[in-house]
Amino acid sequence: MITSVFFDVGETIVDESREYGTWADWLGVPRHTFSAVFGAVIARGLDYRETFQVFRPGFDLTQERQRRTAAGQPESFTEDDLYPDARPCLAALRAAGLHVGLAGNQTARAETILRALNLPVDVIGTSDGWGVEKPSPAFFDRVVTEAGCPADQVLYVGDRLDNDIRPAQEAGIPTALIRRGPWGHILNDTAISDRCLFHLDSLTELPDLIRKHNKPTT
């Protein structure tokens, strides 16, 4: 039985396309160029933050976030940046009696924004708030703690095989891989993806998949 469902945030619940575009603008490079380099960095198995180093060696992301905030251009997202299937999926799962949470590598500012969106969830956890980030095992230990049930009753939904799916599986948590965003389309490891309980093209299908999975066999 799946009794609790936790979701990654970026590219699972939130479409980050616009925000990455603002980083390209901040760096003064064409958005399509930034996107191309971003994809190449991911394909090479590097941390996405290496993208910034290509355009500005020595780039300090924390410092630049502060500079953007001081310039009145902070990282941000709104209701319009939510994937259209996100809120309905969260609401449907909660209405079905499941414990629903968000847990992702996000800043304190992003956590504040997520809370202000009044999403139909029971838990909102971020790496800044929890003091630990994916893919650390401690992050997924915290997910299980917040779920309030055994690890094998939690489903973790994410777009990244490296940061979401693999470490969740190693923690004994069933997983659902959603194929969207750059990581969802570029990363490929069948040894990991084949162990997923569900493969998704949209969150719309998830509530029914869980309902069928939880349905008693006769």
Side-chain angles (χ1 to χ4, degrees):
M1 290 275 295
I2 298 298
T3 60
S4 181
V5 185
F6 272 72
F7 295 81
D8 171 47
V9 177
E11 297 306 334
T12 299
I13 295 297
V14 177
D15 182 346
E16 296 179 314
S17 302
R18 184 188 59 79
E19 187 51 43
Y20 284 126
T22 66
W23 274 113
D25 298 344
W26 181 256
L27 290 168
V29 299
R31 291 191 174 196
H32 74 280
T33 301
F34 184 88
S35 295
V37 173
F38 191 98
V41 166
I42 292 171
R44 292 171 60 195
L46 302 175
D47 189 301
Y48 80 95
R49 286 167 285 202
E50 290 297 316
T51 306
F52 299 103
Q53 302 299 326
V54 172
F55 299 107
R56 190 182 297 174
F59 184 92
D60 185 316
L61 183 56
T62 299
Q63 185 179 79
E64 292 299 318
R65 279 173 170 155
Q66 295 171 349
R67 289 186 60 206
R68 282 189 57 173
T69 298
Q73 302 175 44
E75 283 186 308
S76 187
F77 56 89
T78 68
E79 180 77 25
D80 290 341
D81 295 304
L82 294 177
Y83 278 106
D85 54 10
R87 188 179 287 275
C89 175
L90 299 173
L93 293 173
R94 209 173 184 205
L98 295 164
H99 185 76
V100 181
L102 305 181
N105 285 349
Q106 298 289 326
T107 63
R109 176 180 173 80
E111 181 172 343
T112 298
I113 295 171
L114 287 169
R115 294 187 183 283
L117 290 175
N118 292 316
L119 293 164
V121 297
D122 301 291
V123 178
I124 294 177
T126 64
S127 51
D128 263 15
W130 287 355
V132 62
E133 66 178 30
K134 297 181 292 184
S136 168
F139 184 95
F140 291 93
D141 289 343
R142 181 63 182 267
V143 168
V144 174
T145 298
E146 295 290 340
C149 62
D152 62 2
Q153 293 181 19
V154 183
L155 180 72
Y156 192 79
V157 184
D159 64 300
R160 292 184 59 170
L161 290 171
D162 55 350
N163 256 27
D164 302 329
I165 305 303
R166 177 187 55 77
Q169 291 174 350
E170 291 174 349
I173 300 172
T175 54
L177 174 65
I178 185 161
R179 189 171 180 268
R180 64 183 175 198
W183 286 275
H185 287 277
I186 294 173
L187 299 185
N188 181 34
D189 188 331
T190 55
I192 299 172
S193 61
D194 285 352
R195 294 200 299 270
C196 288
L197 186 60
F198 305 124
H199 292 84
L200 311 171
D201 291 314
S202 167
L203 293 179
T204 301
E205 57 196 303
L206 185 60
D208 194 49
L209 287 171
I210 293 176
R211 180 187 62 78
K212 291 177 180 177
H213 174 81
N214 285 347
K215 187 176 181 180
T217 58
T218 56

